[in-house]
Amino acid sequence: MEYTDRMEELSFQKWGVFDVDYDNVCDKIIEIVDGENAFRTFGEGLFFFVNKKYPEVDKENIINFLNDVCKTKNIPINDIASNNTLRNWFKKGARPKKGDNSRRVMFVLAFVLDLDPETTAQLFHKVYMDRAFDFRNIEDIVYYFCLDNKKSWSDAKRLIQKATLEETKDEDDIKYTRQIQKEIQEIRNEDALIAYIKKHKRNLEKKNVSARKNYETILEESKKLVKKESDLPEYQDVYKNCDKNSLNFLYEVITGQFVSTRKGTVTLFKNSRLPREIKNRFPEAISLSKKNLTYEELRKLIILLASYNFWFKGSMEQGLISIDDYISEMNAILIDSGFSPMYYGNPYDWMFLYCSLFERPLDTFRDLIAEALEE
């Protein structure tokens, strides 16, 4: 069974078992997501990815395989990682720290393994748990072009150096990321690629334009909905002394956790009972006011806010909330924002997908947060 199918099946199995014992469901969810064997490690994911393309590779020879392929392609193995780091990935379950260096490593792997852009996107999405191609990043644009046109890692490094040295040509109109992506996909020669980057360099400096636009739209909707929810009879006493125009209030209603204190806004999730992949950059109240959000912060914020909006509106309509409708809505937003879609193998995504199986997913989510934060 494919890993994604297994994690999807697990969510439905656990929901069926726990639904009859709701008082203990949140504690059991945490046991699942924080268990050693619930979600595969980076090394396990990378091995299965390589093994699918090269069935002759097994767990014992994968490091030797990568060394041999790198020699064949004249790419130093250290462009991926040292042999010691490789052993940490495949033997000890270590995961590379998110950042530019790790992203570059994933692209080196794509060239070493002869991947096309679509398969590279799967490598990032299902193994590294990040988006592959940021079409406002010159390096990512070059990587896409080279992988799509069967060029080498050496070609990619040469073109990146050339593209970054080109002077900027001013252009006033703002292009959305999906438009840039479409235009890059049509380029077939190096001169045209360099000319495009030169012409649009200022545009490429504007990060996450589509994502920020969607985020701001979703945030405004959330502000209206939390005020509507706080006015419900059961919440009037709970929120009667709160500043209903503050972002802290928005966060407190969504999560069911109070974060405003005399000393300022507290953060919640650093020491929570959640695995690293969930609590790393888990949206905090202060995230809502940050101007320069990372990819992971922005994606997780959009999932949090859009899930709240979907769940609350569903509860007001008093109809069954369909997991299929939830996934369709989340994926439409994420893909339009240039982000990877919901994935059962991502612990953060799995938690939201799992909550959406319940009759009252918003209550389940808040109970889960409360359980995770218990000392």
Side-chain angles (χ1 to χ4, degrees):
M1 180 184 291
E2 288 283 340
Y3 172 72
T4 306
D5 296 333
R6 181 168 66 82
M7 294 311 299
E8 181 178 3
E9 183 180 86
L10 175 66
S11 67
F12 279 89
Q13 286 176 348
K14 296 302 181 185
W15 175 74
V17 172
F18 296 161
D19 194 36
V20 297
D21 187 17
Y22 186 80
D23 290 341
N24 297 319
V25 67
C26 292
D27 190 53
K28 291 178 180 177
I29 295 172
I30 292 171
E31 287 179 11
I32 294 171
V33 296
D34 206 20
E36 290 184 5
N37 300 316
F39 294 91
R40 65 186 179 189
T41 66
F42 172 77
E44 288 171 339
L46 182 55
F47 165 71
F48 284 112
F49 188 89
V50 173
N51 177 257
K52 190 172 182 178
K53 184 174 175 66
Y54 300 95
E56 68 275 14
V57 178
D58 60 37
K59 291 182 179 180
E60 297 304 317
N61 70 7
I62 186 167
I63 295 176
N64 290 335
F65 168 80
L66 290 174
N67 274 273
D68 291 343
V69 177
C70 282
K71 286 179 183 177
T72 302
K73 294 186 176 296
N74 200 28
I75 297 175
I77 188 65
N78 283 337
D79 279 8
I80 299 174
S82 67
N83 281 304
N84 187 51
T85 298
L86 291 173
R87 283 191 289 272
N88 284 335
W89 287 354
F90 293 112
K91 306 293 185 183
K92 298 182 180 179
R95 179 174 288 275
K97 185 178 180 181
K98 293 286 179 67
D100 290 343
N101 289 336
S102 294
R103 285 181 58 81
R104 191 172 296 111
V105 165
M106 300 306 293
F107 281 117
V108 177
L109 278 166
F111 283 96
V112 168
L113 299 173
D114 287 325
L115 305 185
D116 58 23
E118 183 179 354
T119 316
T120 301
Q122 292 298 309
L123 174 67
F124 272 78
H125 179 205
K126 295 187 175 182
V127 178
Y128 184 59
M129 296 182 187
D130 198 348
R131 69 174 159 187
F133 302 104
D134 175 1
F135 284 92
R136 291 187 179 275
N137 180 296
I138 290 174
E139 289 190 11
D140 284 24
I141 288 172
V142 172
Y143 294 144
Y144 182 93
F145 170 82
C146 289
L147 291 167
D148 198 34
N149 291 281
K150 308 298 182 185
K151 293 184 178 291
S152 69
W153 174 239
S154 295
D155 291 329
K157 292 193 290 185
R158 172 177 55 80
L159 287 170
I160 287 170
Q161 184 176 28
K162 185 175 182 180
T164 52
L165 290 174
E166 286 288 347
E167 294 183 4
T168 302
K169 181 178 179 181
D170 290 340
E171 187 181 83
D172 294 327
D173 61 309
I174 295 177
K175 288 180 176 286
Y176 287 105
T177 306
R178 291 183 69 80
Q179 182 182 356
I180 295 173
Q181 177 180 350
K182 183 178 178 181
E183 291 168 353
I184 292 294
Q185 289 170 335
E186 294 173 354
I187 295 174
R188 285 289 173 263
N189 69 76
E190 293 183 4
D191 290 341
L193 176 72
I194 298 301
Y196 185 91
I197 291 172
K198 178 180 179 180
K199 181 179 181 181
H200 298 289
K201 248 185 181 177
R202 292 200 186 279
N203 245 308
L204 299 179
E205 293 171 357
K206 300 176 174 68
K207 301 297 182 185
N208 295 319
V209 174
S210 299
R212 290 293 312 194
K213 179 174 177 287
N214 288 336
Y215 168 67
E216 288 164 9
T217 300
I218 294 165
L219 179 61
E220 289 306 309
E221 182 179 20
S222 297
K223 289 177 180 178
K224 295 174 184 176
L225 293 177
V226 297
K227 288 181 180 179
K228 187 174 183 179
E229 185 178 10
S230 68
D231 287 335
L232 295 173
E234 60 264 40
Y235 292 117
Q236 286 182 358
D237 289 339
V238 177
Y239 298 114
K240 65 181 178 182
N241 296 320
C242 295
D243 176 5
K244 294 192 175 184
N245 293 312
S246 74
L247 291 175
N248 276 8
F249 172 74
L250 172 79
Y251 188 83
E252 289 169 346
V253 173
I254 290 174
T255 62
Q257 298 293 318
F258 287 95
V259 296
S260 299
T261 70
R262 292 180 181 178
K263 295 182 179 180
T265 302
V266 298
T267 55
L268 300 176
F269 288 94
K270 183 178 180 181
N271 298 314
S272 64
R273 295 172 57 213
L274 292 171
R276 187 177 69 174
E277 279 300 316
I278 293 181
K279 67 184 178 184
N280 182 43
R281 301 193 187 280
F282 193 102
E284 299 275 4
I286 57 175
S287 307
L288 295 166
S289 57
K290 285 182 67 173
K291 291 185 178 180
N292 297 313
L293 294 161
T294 67
Y295 160 85
E296 190 172 7
E297 287 173 324
L298 189 50
R299 183 180 182 274
K300 285 185 172 181
L301 264 175
I302 285 177
I303 291 173
L304 173 67
L305 297 178
S307 295
Y308 170 77
N309 296 351
F310 183 87
W311 291 338
F312 178 69
K313 287 186 290 186
S315 70
M316 296 304 292
E317 293 167 2
Q318 296 183 338
L320 278 177
I321 296 175
S322 163
I323 183 67
D324 293 332
D325 289 344
Y326 171 79
I327 292 172
S328 294
E329 179 149 329
M330 291 302 110
N331 284 350
I333 295 167
L334 291 170
I335 292 170
D336 187 61
S337 301
F339 295 158
S340 54
M342 299 293 283
Y343 174 46
Y344 277 99
N346 182 321
Y348 184 84
D349 295 7
W350 191 91
M351 183 174 68
F352 284 87
L353 290 162
Y354 186 77
C355 289
S356 295
L357 290 168
F358 286 84
E359 185 176 348
R360 297 182 65 83
L362 187 52
D363 290 345
T364 304
F365 174 74
R366 288 168 177 159
D367 289 344
L368 175 57
I369 295 301
E371 185 72 31
L373 297 175
E374 270 195 4
E375 294 183 358

